């Protein structure tokens, strides 16, 4: 079971396979992992199990909550592990890659819980309007999810030092419209 894995100079934490989306482009639909790591979890690791995997974390450029699912499904674990990292490796950057639906999943604003613990949040956008978003990402929360993701980006700006909006490079996605929306939201834009 792959709980943590290294790609380049980054250490990735694989907390869950659960996700509120079923994106048409999701790598989970096509293979069992990335970089030679099998990322399907038999069971979700505890905070203790994750921390037990850490060696000298200061050697990594970043620690990233990512994996084969939506990490903020387990926001309490993200908070606890991030606090451990801030306490023991204050110079190491901590990032969360997310679909931006945590406030729908938890029925309330979870972002203040990440304040002071997360340095960077990268939020998948993948569309510039609600209809297209639902067509591509197939959220459990339906067409309303796009508005919630945009609000999540706005709320994240209040508490996380660096907010990135990302889109997948695909002929099915209007990259320029997404770039314009990121510009309106005054956040960094990345194509991945
Ligand atoms: S949000 Fe990420 S993990 Fe979830 S379905 Fe989309 S690409 Fe896959």
């Amino acid at each position: 079971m792959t709980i943590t894995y290294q790609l380049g100079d980054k250490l990735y934490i694989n907390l869950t396979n659960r996700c509120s989306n079923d994106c048409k482009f999701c790598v989970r639909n096509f293979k069992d992992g990335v970089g030679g790591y099998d990322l399907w979890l038999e069971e979700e690791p505890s905070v203790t199990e994750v921390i037990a995997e850490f060696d000298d974390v200061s050697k990594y450029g970043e620690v990233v909550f990512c994996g084969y699912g939506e990490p903020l499904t387990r926001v309490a674990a993200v908070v606890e592990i991030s606090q451990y990292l801030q306490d023991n490796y204050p110079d190491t950057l901590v990032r969360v890659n997310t679909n931006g639906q945590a406030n729908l999943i938890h029925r309330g604003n979870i972002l203040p819980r990440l304040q002071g613990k997360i340095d960077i949040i990268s939020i998948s956008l993948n569309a510039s309007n609600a209809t297209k978003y639902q067509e591509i990402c197939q959220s459990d929360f339906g067409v309303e999810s796009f508005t919630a993701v945009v609000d999540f980006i706005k709320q994240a700006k209040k508490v996380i030092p660096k907010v990135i909006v990302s889109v997948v490079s695909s002929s099915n996605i209007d990259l320029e419209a997404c770039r314009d929306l990121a510009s309106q939201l005054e956040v960094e834009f990345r194509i991945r």
Side-chain angles (χ1 to χ4, degrees), residues 19-23 25-28 67-70 99 124 192:
C19 185
S20 52
N21 274 354
D22 182 16
C23 301
F25 57 80
C26 183
V27 68
R28 305 187 306 176
Y68 250 30
E70 168 48 50
N99 66 14
S124 297
R192 62 182 203 277

Side-chain angles (χ1 to χ4, degrees), residues 16-29 66-71 97-101 124 126 133 136-138 168 192:
T16 183
N17 292 152
R18 288 181 285 161
C19 185
S20 52
N21 274 354
D22 182 16
C23 301
K24 288 182 174 169
F25 57 80
C26 183
V27 68
R28 305 187 306 176
N29 297 328
C66 183
Y68 250 30
E70 168 48 50
N97 289 354
T98 177
N99 66 14
Q101 293 178 18
S124 297
N126 296 320
Y133 182 85
I136 295 169
C137 297
Q138 306 185 110
V168 167
R192 62 182 203 277

